[in-house]
Amino acid sequence: MEAAHQSQLSEPAPVPPKPSRRALAVAARALAWGLPLAGGLALRLAMLRHLFLVSGDSLIYGGLGKTLLDGRYGLEMLGTTISPTLIRLPGYPLYLALCFRFLGMENYYAATLPQIFLELAGCLLLAAFADRIAPPH
C-alpha cells in the first residue's frame, strides 16, 4: 500500500509544449520544398551514374572551352589550325573552361556535378516565382 501512496504523491510527468502554428508552418514549407529537391537530386545522380556519356555536342563545347583557355575562341579543324566560329555561343564553353581549369582538363564528369546543383537552384527560383504569382490562398 505504501508504494501506491507514494506514487500518488509524486508530481506528474511534464507535458511537452505543443509546437506553435508558426513552427508547424515552417516545417510544412521545408517538407514541401525539401522532398522534391531531394527527389530531383536523387534522380539526377542516378542518371549521372547510369547514363553518363560524352559524345557529340559535348565534345564540340569542350573543344571550344579548351580553346578559350588558350586565349582564343574557335574550333580545331583537322587537328592543326583553330578557326574562329560562331556555331555556338560562348556561355556554356566558358562554364566548361572554368571547370576544366579548376577540376581537370576534359573532366566532363566533374563539370556535371556543379551543373546539377545549378539546375536544382533553378528549380527553387521557378518554384519561388510560381509561389509569388499564384499564392495558395
Side-chain angles (χ1 to χ4, degrees):
M1 282 291 192
E2 191 171 316
H5 179 66
Q6 286 180 352
S7 67
Q8 291 175 359
L9 294 178
S10 62
E11 295 180 23
V15 178
K18 290 184 179 179
S20 68
R21 295 184 114 206
R22 178 165 169 73
L24 289 174
V26 167
R29 196 163 195 83
L31 256 151
W33 289 62
L35 286 178
L37 280 177
L41 179 63
L43 177 66
R44 283 165 175 79
L45 291 177
M47 289 174 59
L48 179 64
R49 183 173 181 207
H50 297 292
L51 302 174
F52 183 71
L53 178 66
V54 178
S55 65
D57 274 355
S58 301
L59 296 173
I60 293 172
Y61 284 113
L64 290 169
K66 286 187 287 186
T67 60
L68 275 171
L69 289 175
D70 291 335
R72 296 176 271 170
Y73 185 71
L75 290 174
E76 194 171 331
M77 299 295 193
L78 303 173
T80 56
T81 62
I82 295 177
S83 58
T85 183
L86 293 175
I87 191 171
R88 302 286 193 265
L89 295 175
Y92 193 62
L94 277 169
Y95 169 78
L96 283 177
L98 282 172
C99 289
F100 290 165
R101 171 89 170 162
F102 295 110
L103 303 174
M105 189 60 72
E106 293 192 25
N107 190 352
Y108 290 94
Y109 188 85
T112 306
L113 294 174
Q115 191 170 338
I116 287 173
F117 290 101
L118 290 172
E119 289 173 3
L120 292 174
C123 291
L124 282 176
L125 288 173
L126 181 62
F129 174 71
D131 190 42
R132 178 170 267 191
I133 65 167
H137 353 325

